């Protein structure tokens, strides 16, 4: 089985998605990282297991049509 972690990103931060109610999404609180910075959370996943892939749901790109390429580059 292949497991691909997924993070929802808005404004360079990982947010907690709740039932598609995007207006209520807030920065995530997780034991994977000290904050909600995308790179820190991605590194937290890598610390759990050497996942080959990470799916970044770029909410800025989905909502406004302008992808957050800077965040994707920082994670890559």
């Amino acid at each position: 089985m292949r497991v691909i972690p997924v993070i929802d990103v808005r404004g360079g931060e990982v947010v907690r998605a709740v039932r598609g109610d995007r207006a209520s999404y807030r920065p995530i609180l997780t034991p994977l990282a000290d904050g909600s910075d995308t790179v820190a959370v991605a590194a937290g996943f890598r610390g759990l297991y050497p996942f080959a892939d990470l799916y970044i749901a770029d909410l800025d790109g989905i909502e406004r049509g302008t992808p957050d390429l800077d965040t994707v580059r920082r994670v890559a």
Side-chain angles (χ1 to χ4, degrees), residues 51-62:
F51 295 103
D53 298 298
L54 172 69
Y55 183 93
I56 298 173
D58 176 8
L59 300 179
D60 295 322
I62 292 168

Side-chain angles (χ1 to χ4, degrees), residues 1-8 32 42 45-46 48-57:
M1 175 180 8
R2 184 173 175 189
V3 176
I4 301 173
V6 177
I7 55 176
D8 294 306
L32 294 174
F45 272 116
R46 288 288 295 190
L48 290 176
Y49 184 82
F51 295 103
D53 298 298
L54 172 69
Y55 183 93
I56 298 173

Side-chain angles (χ1 to χ4, degrees), residues 11-60:
E13 291 186 289
V14 179
V15 295
R16 182 170 183 261
V18 181
R19 295 181 298 275
D21 181 13
R22 292 185 179 148
S24 69
Y25 292 5
R26 299 291 175 257
I28 196 168
L29 298 174
T30 175
L32 294 174
D34 287 334
S36 58
D37 176 72
T38 305
V39 174
V41 174
F45 272 116
R46 288 288 295 190
L48 290 176
Y49 184 82
F51 295 103
D53 298 298
L54 172 69
Y55 183 93
I56 298 173
D58 176 8
L59 300 179
D60 295 322

